[in-house]
Amino acid sequence: MGFVFFYLIALPFQPPMAKSEINEKYNVEVRVGGFFACGESLVITKSEFGILDKLQYVGNNSCVTGINKIETLEFKENKVEFLIYHDGKTEFENPYKYQPDVGLPFF
């Protein structure tokens, strides 16, 4: 029981499993989905001062696992679109086209 408690505390501080550059300011990271997630999380971050990453978006709604590559198809003010390459163990096509509902502009 104690192990689960410490795992949940340490989960937000784990490094990303993979990181891809969107442009010179933005990155997309693949992180462990969390305790109740069915797949891995996609996190869009913005580089601040060259060393700090500010969280812009977290997407937990796709159940894609084994993500090994992410290509950015479109990155505009209110529209983001990725091609996600994964292990193919889920019912999703490979590569999977993912359009997160960002809601707020990034710029």
Side-chain angles (χ1 to χ4, degrees):
M1 184 68 174
F3 177 74
V4 173
F5 175 74
F6 287 113
Y7 174 76
L8 292 175
I9 290 174
L11 190 63
F13 301 105
Q14 291 182 346
M17 296 169 19
K19 187 175 185 176
S20 299
E21 186 177 287
I22 296 174
N23 60 27
E24 61 277 347
K25 287 190 176 186
Y26 293 92
N27 297 306
V28 60
E29 299 176 355
V30 178
R31 295 189 173 260
V32 175
F35 194 65
F36 291 112
C38 64
E40 296 160 351
S41 296
L42 292 180
V43 178
I44 298 175
T45 60
K46 180 180 181 183
S47 295
E48 300 272 336
F49 308 113
I51 57 169
L52 301 174
D53 287 337
K54 182 179 179 184
L55 187 94
Q56 297 293 112
Y57 170 81
V58 177
N60 291 322
N61 53 355
S62 66
C63 292
V64 178
T65 59
I67 298 172
N68 52 34
K69 182 181 174 184
I70 299 175
E71 283 182 28
T72 305
L73 297 177
E74 189 171 4
F75 190 73
K76 293 183 179 177
E77 187 171 333
N78 288 321
K79 186 173 182 187
V80 180
E81 188 172 33
F82 299 112
L83 268 183
I84 300 174
Y85 295 88
H86 56 93
D87 60 8
K89 293 182 180 179
T90 57
E91 70 274 0
F92 296 104
E93 59 197 30
N94 197 6
Y96 172 62
K97 189 181 275 190
Y98 179 63
Q99 290 181 317
D101 182 23
V102 291
L104 297 173
F106 284 107
F107 303 101

